[in-house]
Amino acid sequence: MILKLKSVTKDYIWGGTRLRDEYGKKGDSQRLAESWELSCHPDGMSLIDGGEYDGVTLRDFVEKFPEIAGKKCQGEIPVLIKLIDAKDNLSIQVHPDNEYARKYEGDNGKTEMWYIVDCDKDSSIIYGFKENLSKEDFCRAIDENTLLQKVNTVPVKKGDVFLIRAGTLHAIGRGCLIAEIQQCSNVTYRVYDYDRRDNNGNPRELHTEKALDVTDCGKMVLPNGGIQGNTLVECEYFRVYKENISGNGNVHTAEESFAHVLVLEGSGEIISRDETYNLKKGDSFFVTAGTQWHIKGNCSIIYTVV
Ligand code: ZN
């Protein structure tokens, strides 16, 4: 079975208007920072869009029919998939691993991956430190406002992929439009926010102590070698693939896991034995485990399985 999903949008101070203008996303404010494309997290849940289950949360649906998530998932959707439009720099932040998050936050840890859907010519990201630091060095850099000199700033281009493991300090830079696939978690420890103020004129909260607990302070080296074929990332939490389609795309079936399809560009149809949906840029589909599916048209997608 294929379900079309309706996303949940979030307005944060660094967001832009591209998700609304180019990807057809809707929300209460003009600015849309994030669109949660696949989420069963209590902070924002995807809804089924159309058909017999129109308006039902994906979480309720999966609770009712746990087998649709696939054997590997045991009735849970352990990933959260977002589109992120960074008109401005995001805060420098870190996420805890499962052990720490479950102990102190009652949530999962967060390893995430980024696919750079689009970016400005001079866009960059922050990925860990460029030298080995001690916890004391890290703490001092936060206190003395010199963190930006210690971090690894990496220029990016369209199509780049980054796997950001829990414990790696990171930030999305201005001008990046990113597809993010992450563990289902909403725990972020901010350490630097460019001295910005929120809508009420207050600085956003920092979480320096917890960040010091969980951050890997070693020098971070980006794995080189680039992307192998269609595979963007395969890690213990998710596997993410890209497919460029003109005509009939590959036929997929995953018995062990559901699949999530995010359309990055173009238009076409997504087809199973029983259903056909039109698709366009920005659309998201949930394919239940064991369903054979393929896409027809002229488009590029990324799809995620567990
Ligand atoms: Zn993050």
Side-chain angles (χ1 to χ4, degrees), residues 90 93-95 110 112 114 164 170 172 180 182 187-188:
L90 272 74
Q93 56 183 250
V94 64
H95 309 295
K110 199 203 277 194
E112 62 193 42
W114 298 339
I164 317 277
H170 62 276
I172 298 175
E180 180 179 271
Q182 53 163 93
V187 181
T188 294

Side-chain angles (χ1 to χ4, degrees), residues 108-122:
N108 297 310
K110 199 203 277 194
T111 284
E112 62 193 42
M113 78 78 95
W114 298 339
Y115 177 82
I116 311 286
V117 179
D118 199 6
C119 61
D120 293 343
K121 270 207 184 83
D122 59 348

Side-chain angles (χ1 to χ4, degrees), residues 51-72:
E52 194 183 341
Y53 299 97
D54 185 43
V56 173
T57 65
L58 183 63
R59 184 175 165 134
D60 284 348
F61 190 74
V62 175
E63 251 166 42
K64 199 166 171 200
F65 306 106
E67 68 282 2
I68 65 164
K71 281 190 209 101
K72 262 191 183 169

